[in-house]
Amino acid sequence: MIPPISKLLFRALTRGPYTRRGPVAPDPDGALELAAALGERARAKLGRSLAIREVDAGSCNGCELEIHAVNGPVYDLERFGIRFVASPRHADLLLVTGPVTSNMAEALRRTFEAVPSPKWVVALGDCARDGGCFAGSYAVLGGADSVVPVDLHIPGCPPEPARILSGLLEVLERAAKG
Amino acid sequence: MIGQETLAEFLAGLEAVADCAPYPRVRLDRGGWQSLVARLAGSDWGLMAEWGEPDEIHVALRDESDGEIRIVSHRCVDRRFAAIGTVRPAAIRLERAIRDLWGLEPEGLDDRRPWLDHGRWPVRQPLALRPRDPSPSSFAYPFLTAEGEGLHQIPVGPVHAGVIEPGHFRFHAQGETVVRLEARLGYTHKGIAGLATGRTIGEVARLAGRISGDSTVAYALAFARAVEAATGADVPRRADWLRALMAELERLANHLADIGGICNDAAFAVMLAQMQVLRERILGVNRALFGHRLLMDQVVPGGLVADLPPEGPETIKHLLYGLHKDVERARHLYENTPSLSDRTQGTGILPSALANRFGAGGYVGRASGRGHDARRVPGYPPYEMLDLTVPMLLEGDVNARVMVRFAEAAESLRLINRILLELPDGPVRADLPLRAGEGMAVIESFRGEVLVWVRVDEAGRVVRFHAHDPSWFQWPLLEAAIKGNIVADFPLCNKSFNCSYSGHDQ
């Protein structure tokens, strides 16, 4: 028997990489162009890499699902040298999702403090702007800016992967301006 | 237990609270509640959920022998009630949360530590009639200990290494072997029950869809069905079928992502890449047909916000055709990769007895011999028309949880196909009658049974709202399953359970 992994790798070689094909209209948001532009900017400012540390400050997990998608083979953030890292000490950028709950405030603050300067903070999703539909609760402080200084907000509930890419581009533009 | 009294018999003769549908709610006095707790020690009445109100405690129970569901309430005149956690360990954390939120004291519960309250809210007991001032002193959480030579502790979280939700895990390990794991949760507590009070049904539908983002259809559906039960609304048949279509698309997308994630945690990244491609195809179709990749805010009380567009069936059939082959191929790859099987087989075994004792649902229960599925019992339309097959395995290891997911994904593909074939015509939304009442609904999410209980008034506002996540009964079992495994296998076991943090903390 030919091992299934060999078959799979052979198919991948002959077929080429996965792009946004299939039953949906291909690439309606220009995601690939955005991704390419993001790659150049990242290199100009940060050499060949941008390291992102994600902090869920109380989200419903919806934003995390879309971040996984950005990381996956269809959007493949990593081909531009942009990657998610395990430790804030390796990060250039903090990506915060969710309304900041009282119970997560200190963890978020400490994670921010652990990121070496220069550093940026991106608030991802409607909750991270102002608490979204959870604003006003006894257990919610508000948006990410209630605890850490926010450079940019990416709207959406949750933001679609293409929007996350364009948001990161915006950060790099601002960073390039200094 | 032959000849044992059923739940319905035990509660017979008590008058049900008016306007609670479709499951009767009965009120017990102090003595009655105490005898209920005593019965729970030896009966096979399953605990579904337990929650509070400022002066009352509720527990939803199901008699596993005949499937009858009852809500039992007890007015806590002195703000105390006999703890169910003394006889049912699954209730311990629920009752600790009840003490934190409503200030009702579970009598007899040994564990006096707070659960959701980390001492950081501006008030204590925020949902009680009179919330209390925060405690002035800071609070250190005493973890359960393990003692012995060579033991060490490993604290992990709340911010984890990957892109996942926050929670704290405290390991006691001897060398590489985990001796004890204790989770501390509550970091994502957003106070959803408090937020829902007094809001319109439409606003709470939006909140319900954001209790756990991966189960947004299941939660929105549970809330919608609870409100429809409370108000006596008639939902068009087409809406029922399209809701099931969305629920199965959600289940499929989540199961595939889980399979990829589990294999990735066993250092087999190629499966994650494959599965993310498949998942992306499903989400792309969701976006094209319904306008939202995760299907948030599509299911509302009364029906759906929009009908399936005319090209819908064709688009989904096209999706199914490709998916069916690719999922089969992935299963073949999974089963024929010895290095992967070596990691997943025999790892993180959850004994069947524990799964039953905690009433674990979803793939966690079904991989350990507990074949419960809310789509069958109590059941809801249109599943009675669909000849649902529920896979069940007995091994209880990571491998079994993966194989249950593969089987459920295949079943979802089949169900979606059937739904498209038999989809009735007609409207997809009906007006909600303005009527006061109470309702409860049980829906099978990809993770297990989601329960929503709601009370609405004549003005179309929510008076009380409670949502129960299946993770409540799965988190404690993860702690049992990891025991004796090596620390390095924890991510693998954790992902195979894939409990919700947000759904649990709310």
Side-chain angles (χ1 to χ4, degrees):
Chain A
M1 185 182 84
I2 305 168
I5 184 73
S6 313
K7 283 193 203 165
L8 187 138
L9 293 176
F10 182 72
R11 245 195 334 270
L13 276 175
T14 51
R15 277 199 187 167
Y18 287 97
T19 51
R20 294 184 64 185
R21 280 180 297 163
V24 189
D27 198 18
D29 313 305
L32 294 176
E33 290 90 327
L34 277 175
L38 182 53
E40 276 168 34
R41 302 273 179 184
R43 271 192 282 281
K45 183 72 186 174
L46 298 155
R48 294 184 60 83
S49 82
L50 174 68
I52 302 175
R53 173 63 246 182
E54 193 265 352
V55 178
D56 175 342
S59 92
C60 74
N61 199 26
C63 288
E64 278 65 35
L65 295 177
E66 294 300 51
I67 293 171
H68 281 300
V70 176
N71 238 342
V74 178
Y75 299 94
D76 194 13
L77 200 60
E78 218 164 317
R79 68 196 140 142
F80 305 110
I82 300 174
R83 67 194 198 285
F84 286 84
V85 293
S87 167
R89 298 199 190 282
H90 304 156
D92 306 303
L93 187 149
L94 208 57
L95 188 63
V96 184
T97 64
V100 180
T101 63
S102 310
N103 290 349
M104 268 307 285
E106 188 181 337
L108 175 60
R109 191 178 300 118
R110 285 201 206 176
T111 310
F112 175 75
E113 282 164 8
V115 179
S117 293
K119 55 188 165 188
W120 295 273
V121 176
V122 173
L124 185 80
D126 290 347
C127 295
R129 182 177 53 215
D130 55 4
C133 56
F134 305 110
S137 166
Y138 61 88
V140 168
L141 296 180
D145 60 1
S146 57
V147 175
V148 291
V150 172
D151 295 290
L152 185 96
H153 170 244
I154 302 176
C157 186
E160 298 194 352
R163 238 173 162 176
I164 299 177
L165 282 176
S166 69
L168 293 175
L169 169 73
E170 177 76 24
V171 173
L172 287 159
E173 254 174 23
R174 290 190 192 184
K177 285 177 195 156
Chain B
M1 304 204 185
I2 296 156
Q4 204 200 12
E5 198 177 18
T6 67
L7 180 61
E9 284 164 9
F10 175 71
L11 297 171
L14 292 158
E15 199 183 335
V17 176
D19 284 340
C20 187
Y23 311 108
R25 179 159 83 86
V26 296
R27 209 171 256 144
L28 292 179
D29 59 10
R30 194 172 173 78
W33 181 267
Q34 276 166 348
S35 67
L36 174 75
V37 174
R39 291 298 173 100
L40 280 171
S43 65
D44 60 353
W45 305 343
L47 179 71
M48 298 170 77
E50 191 180 359
W51 67 98
E53 276 193 77
D55 59 348
E56 197 162 13
I57 177 101
H58 306 288
V59 59
L61 298 169
R62 172 177 36 227
D63 192 322
E64 304 288 354
S65 62
D66 57 9
E68 284 286 318
I69 293 172
R70 293 283 185 279
I71 309 171
V72 184
S73 307
H74 168 51
R75 275 210 198 282
C76 311
V77 274
D78 50 356
R79 309 180 59 74
R80 308 174 81 78
F81 63 97
I84 293 176
T86 52
V87 294
R88 290 295 177 97
I92 293 174
R93 285 177 176 176
L94 288 166
E95 292 181 337
R96 288 166 65 189
I98 287 167
R99 178 166 51 203
D100 288 354
L101 297 177
W102 289 278
L104 303 174
E105 181 60 35
E107 279 180 310
L109 201 65
D110 286 336
D111 199 335
R112 308 217 27 95
R113 298 172 299 169
W115 181 238
L116 298 177
D117 186 353
H118 291 196
R120 295 174 186 278
W121 301 335
V123 288
R124 269 191 303 160
Q125 302 171 356
L127 303 181
L129 269 184
R130 274 185 297 278
R132 295 168 63 188
D133 289 335
S135 92
S137 55
S138 68
F139 162 80
Y141 189 80
F143 283 93
L144 300 175
T145 57
E147 285 170 16
E149 205 172 331
L151 286 185
H152 60 283
Q153 284 189 33
I154 311 172
V156 179
V159 179
H160 298 287
V163 180
I164 53 170
E165 299 178 82
H168 183 94
F169 298 108
R170 184 64 59 101
F171 297 91
H172 282 81
Q174 182 151 45
E176 272 289 280
T177 308
V178 178
V179 176
R180 168 172 246 168
L181 163 67
E182 192 188 7
R184 188 191 183 196
L185 302 172
Y187 289 94
T188 67
H189 178 74
K190 297 179 270 288
I192 290 175
L195 280 171
T197 305
R199 296 211 179 177
T200 64
I201 288 173
E203 287 168 340
V204 179
R206 203 176 143 76
L207 271 179
R210 283 160 182 76
I211 289 172
S212 183
D214 48 21
S215 309
T216 176
V217 175
Y219 269 104
L221 180 52
F223 176 70
R225 287 190 62 84
V227 170
E228 286 151 10
T231 56
D234 254 338
V235 183
R237 277 185 66 222
R238 185 175 172 84
D240 277 335
W241 284 75
L242 285 177
R243 284 170 168 187
L245 173 70
M246 290 182 186
E248 295 308 322
L249 284 169
E250 175 176 271
R251 193 181 326 275
L252 186 59
N254 280 316
H255 277 337
L256 296 184
D258 276 2
I259 292 167
I262 295 166
C263 294
N264 190 51
D265 281 339
F268 194 63
V270 67
M271 186 72 96
L272 178 64
Q274 293 296 315
M275 288 304 177
Q276 280 182 319
V277 169
L278 302 190
R279 176 183 164 86
E280 196 58 35
R281 274 196 227 152
I282 302 171
L283 300 193
V285 167
N286 287 350
R287 173 77 173 83
L289 298 182
F290 301 104
H292 196 287
R293 285 161 53 87
L294 304 178
L295 301 173
M296 277 180 177
D297 306 323
Q298 302 302 306
V299 178
V300 290
L304 298 167
V305 288
D307 199 352
L308 185 68
E311 75 276 16
E314 204 46 50
T315 310
I316 297 175
K317 267 181 210 153
H318 187 75
L319 170 78
L320 290 186
Y321 177 73
L323 276 183
H324 187 77
K325 263 196 327 201
D326 287 336
V327 172
E328 249 333 276
R329 221 176 250 153
R331 195 178 57 81
H332 192 58
L333 173 63
Y334 175 82
E335 289 182 309
N336 291 287
T337 305
S339 62
L340 185 56
S341 306
D342 185 48
R343 291 291 304 279
T344 59
Q345 286 179 4
T347 306
I349 295 175
L350 173 66
S352 178
L354 270 181
N356 280 305
R357 186 147 173 71
F358 276 74
Y363 40 75
V364 174
R366 292 198 270 276
S368 293
R370 186 175 184 273
H372 180 78
D373 192 313
R375 291 174 290 175
R376 268 212 304 227
V377 181
Y380 47 93
Y383 289 102
E384 71 279 5
M385 315 277 290
L386 290 171
D387 312 318
L388 175 72
T389 311
V390 179
M392 191 176 81
L393 293 168
L394 297 171
E395 289 82 358
D397 55 359
V398 172
N399 179 59
R401 289 187 281 278
V402 172
M403 292 315 291
V404 165
R405 283 178 170 97
F406 268 119
E408 286 188 25
E411 180 67 6
S412 287
L413 284 169
R414 191 188 69 80
L415 290 176
I416 294 169
N417 204 18
R418 276 286 299 276
I419 291 169
L420 289 178
L421 286 173
E422 296 177 29
L423 191 61
D425 289 326
V428 295
R429 193 166 183 176
D431 287 335
L432 268 187
L434 282 178
R435 197 170 150 262
E438 272 178 40
M440 187 171 95
V442 187
I443 296 295
E444 188 74 16
S445 76
F446 83 104
R447 193 176 270 126
E449 192 173 80
V450 163
L451 179 149
V452 167
W453 171 85
V454 70
R455 183 184 297 147
V456 294
D457 64 13
E458 310 81 14
R461 288 189 177 271
V462 171
V463 182
R464 297 264 184 257
F465 169 78
H466 177 76
H468 177 90
D469 194 272
S471 304
W472 279 100
F473 300 150
Q474 295 170 348
W475 276 117
L477 298 176
L478 174 63
E479 296 172 13
I482 189 66
K483 206 171 146 189
N485 286 262
I486 58 173
V487 176
D489 273 342
F490 175 70
L492 182 60
C493 295
N494 190 22
K495 188 71 201 172
S496 78
F497 273 68
N498 193 19
C499 303
S500 171
Y501 299 70
S502 184
H504 169 282
D505 298 348
Q506 290 188 24

